[in-house]
Amino acid sequence: MNGLGPLISEAIQDAVRRRLAYVVAAICLLSVLVLDSCTGMLPSTVEVNGEPMDLGAGVASGAGLVTFVVLGLWVVTLAGVLAADQLRETIEDGSATLALARPVSRVAFALARLVGVLTISLGAGAFLLGSAAFLLASRHEVPMDPALGAALAAALGGLALAGWSMAASLVLPRIATTLLVFVLVGTIALTNAIGAATELGGLFGFVNDYGPPLASTVIVSLASWLPEAAIESLRINASEVWIRLGIWTLMGLAALLYAIRRIEIGR
C-alpha cells in the first residue's frame, strides 16, 4: 500500500477535472432548487366539510421517503457510472502503466481510483440528501435521524455498485458496463419497491431476496416516517437487508481486487 496517499490525491483531482463532475454539480444545484419548490408546496392542512384539518408531518414524511429513495438510487447509479470509466481509461491511455512504474501495488492503484469515484458520487449524495433532510425538517418537522440511516444506506450501496462496476469495466467495454449499471439499478429498485409491500416470485423474487438491497435499506431506514399501519405491513427484515448489502459490498471490493490483479497492464 506504499504511496496510497498520493495516488488517492491524483485520483480525486482527475475525477474533479472530468467534465462529468461539472454536469453532476449542475444537476445537484438544479435538484436542490426543485426540492426547495416541492417541499414548499407540500400541504400542511386541508379542508374537510369546510373545516381545516391538520395533516401534520404525514404527507411530508411519505413524500420525503419517496424523495430519499429516488435520490439515494441516483447516488448509487452515479457511483456505478463513474466507476465504469475511472479505472478503465487510465489503462487505455497508459497513465496506469506510469503510475505502476512507481513503488505502488495494483491494489493500491485500484483502491485510489475507487476513492476518486466515491468522492464525487458520495459528495453529491451528501449535498442532495442533506438538503432534502434540512428542508423537510425545517418546513414540516420531519425527524432527521432516520435520514442519516438512509444516507448511510445510499453510501454503502454506492460503494458496492462502484466496486462491481469497476471490476466489470476491466473485462467489458465501458458502454456495456454503463448500460449494465442502469439495468441493474432499475431492476433492483423495482423489485425492492414492490417486494416491500407484497411477496414476489420467480426471477424478480430471487433478485429481491438475494440481490443487493439498494432500495430496501433506504426504505427500512426511513420506516419510522410511515404511518403505523404501513410500518406493520412492510415486508422488509432490517437486519437481513443490511447484512446482505454489507456482503455484496465486500464481494464487489473482492471482485475489483481480483480483476485488477488478473488484467494485463502495459507490457
Side-chain angles (χ1 to χ4, degrees), residues 148-176:
L148 296 176
L152 176 60
L156 194 58
L159 174 57
L161 190 60
W164 281 106
S165 177
M166 192 169 280
S169 73
L170 297 179
V171 295
L172 296 174
R174 278 177 287 181
I175 185 63

Side-chain angles (χ1 to χ4, degrees), residues 98-119:
L98 293 176
L100 293 173
R102 293 176 285 178
V104 297
S105 68
R106 289 187 174 205
V107 168
F109 181 71
L111 291 178
R113 304 309 293 186
L114 184 61
V115 171
V117 167
L118 296 176
T119 298

Side-chain angles (χ1 to χ4, degrees), residues 47-67:
E47 285 192 5
V48 179
N49 297 325
E51 296 293 329
M53 176 179 292
D54 185 12
L55 295 178
V59 173
S61 297
L65 186 146
V66 174
T67 299

